[in-house]
Amino acid sequence: MSDDIDIEKISKLARVDLGDADTDELAANIRDILSYVSSVEKVAGEAGAPEVGAVRNVLREDTDPHEPGAYREALLREAPAVDEDGFIVVPPIL
């Protein structure tokens, strides 16, 4: 099966009307894309190439945390308004 026939089949499935010039241009673009993907696969398969998508933890360990409430008073002093229970007062949304 040739590239033109595959592209015509795909265009019919997508319900897109393509002229002959469009079909030729699309076939050339697809060949270029597949060639590029092939070269990327070749490089990715070489020994020593970096592993793509490796998952690693970039966060520090949570060691020696501060005492609960250590910064509470300093934060509440910066708030525009605080109620008698120690909560920050904000305007109603609704």
Side-chain angles (χ1 to χ4, degrees):
M1 198 179 285
S2 72
D3 292 336
D4 292 339
I5 294 173
D6 291 338
I7 291 173
E8 288 174 10
K9 182 178 178 182
I10 292 170
S11 69
K12 285 180 185 174
L13 290 172
R15 297 180 183 162
V16 175
D17 291 327
L18 294 176
D20 291 335
D22 294 330
T23 303
D24 294 338
E25 182 180 351
L26 190 57
N29 288 340
I30 289 174
R31 277 192 290 277
D32 291 342
I33 292 168
L34 292 176
S35 173
Y36 178 75
V37 169
S38 175
S39 65
V40 169
E41 286 177 343
K42 188 185 332 177
V43 170
E46 293 177 359
E51 186 175 330
V52 177
V55 178
R56 63 184 181 91
N57 188 359
V58 296
L59 303 176
R60 66 170 174 80
E61 289 293 322
D62 193 13
T63 58
D64 197 23
H66 57 77
E67 296 177 26
Y71 301 105
R72 183 176 186 277
E73 293 302 319
L75 291 171
L76 289 177
R77 278 194 304 271
E78 298 296 323
V82 179
D83 68 5
E84 64 273 353
D85 295 324
F87 293 102
I88 297 173
V89 178
V90 296
I93 296 173
L94 299 175

